[in-house]
Amino acid sequence: MSPVDKHHWLDGLEARVERHLQKAIYYFQNQDSQVLLKPSVTGGWSIAQCLEHLNRYGHFYLPAIDRSLQRHDGQPDASTFTSTWLGSYFTRMMQPETGKRKIKAMRAYAPPPDLDAHAIVAEFIHLQETLLALLSRARRADLTATRVPVSIATFIRLRLGDVFAFLIAHDERHIQQALRNLPVSPETVVQAIR
């Protein structure tokens, strides 16, 4: 990938997280537990399970990003970001538009069906707010030089910009999955996904 303006890159990512936060508040925060815990009609995860899956990833990645930002605090800043082929691949694999293949969740990230649905939604909202704060801090960091370990193999470290893109694409994928479980008309869900 050719270099992109770091601030423009982060602007786009922040806008996506803001949309995720708005959807969580509007569509999930005040839903009945029965709606949040109802399994998908296709046999997939419930809304709460989708969000708990994302929470588990957030519990791994957000502290890892925070540690990486602390380690690289005060280092020279770069005005551009360049993605790696591996970072781009992981992100494309998670993007709802390009990652059409179904991927089985690792056991540690697969949520059980019996959850405290409202606590899960509240935690998801909190983690999205934390992600926004980390994106803001990243404006003073070098997105290319700062590395973050990945959950599937912590010895692999991706560029910070790639980790943000992957994590936000993964969030988008499962938020869309959760929205499909809402008991509303398809037109409403399509508008929510946009």
Side-chain angles (χ1 to χ4, degrees), residues 28 34-57 94 102-115 170-171 173-182:
F28 306 138
Q34 290 176 327
V35 172
L36 296 171
L37 293 171
K38 184 179 179 188
S40 168
V41 294
T42 62
W45 287 341
S46 68
I47 293 169
Q49 285 176 299
C50 290
L51 298 182
E52 174 60 10
H53 174 69
L54 296 179
N55 289 348
R56 290 177 180 202
Y57 269 90
M94 284 300 135
K102 196 169 182 155
I103 302 165
K104 186 164 175 61
M106 292 173 23
R107 185 180 305 165
Y109 297 97
D114 54 332
L115 296 165
H170 183 246
D171 286 352
R173 181 184 187 104
H174 289 290
I175 289 169
Q176 286 187 19
Q177 180 184 2
L179 287 168
R180 288 191 295 268
N181 289 347
L182 287 172

Side-chain angles (χ1 to χ4, degrees), residues 57-86:
Y57 269 90
H59 290 154
F60 175 84
Y61 279 105
L62 300 184
I65 291 168
D66 180 52
R67 286 189 297 274
S68 294
L69 285 170
Q70 287 176 17
R71 256 193 313 278
H72 290 88
D73 196 28
Q75 290 190 348
D77 187 2
S79 61
T80 61
F81 166 66
T82 306
S83 181
T84 64
W85 70 268
L86 186 60

Side-chain angles (χ1 to χ4, degrees), residues 165-193:
F166 162 80
L167 186 60
I168 293 166
H170 183 246
D171 286 352
E172 180 68 29
R173 181 184 187 104
H174 289 290
I175 289 169
Q176 286 187 19
Q177 180 184 2
L179 287 168
R180 288 191 295 268
N181 289 347
L182 287 172
V184 294
S185 70
E187 296 81 27
T188 305
V189 174
V190 168
Q191 290 173 352
I193 292 172

Side-chain angles (χ1 to χ4, degrees), residues 6-38:
K6 175 179 82 173
H7 295 287
H8 182 70
W9 176 264
L10 290 171
D11 287 344
L13 295 176
E14 283 179 350
R16 290 175 70 186
V17 175
E18 285 284 357
R19 283 193 300 275
H20 296 165
L21 193 53
Q22 290 169 359
K23 288 174 188 174
I25 292 167
Y26 185 81
Y27 291 100
F28 306 138
Q29 188 174 40
N30 295 316
Q31 284 289 346
D32 289 335
S33 290
Q34 290 176 327
V35 172
L36 296 171
L37 293 171
K38 184 179 179 188

Side-chain angles (χ1 to χ4, degrees), residues 142-162:
D142 186 333
L143 299 182
T144 302
T146 305
R147 303 294 177 121
V148 179
V150 299
S151 62
I152 57 171
T154 55
F155 60 88
I156 299 173
R157 299 175 75 79
L158 289 180
R159 293 176 176 179
L160 177 59
D162 283 330

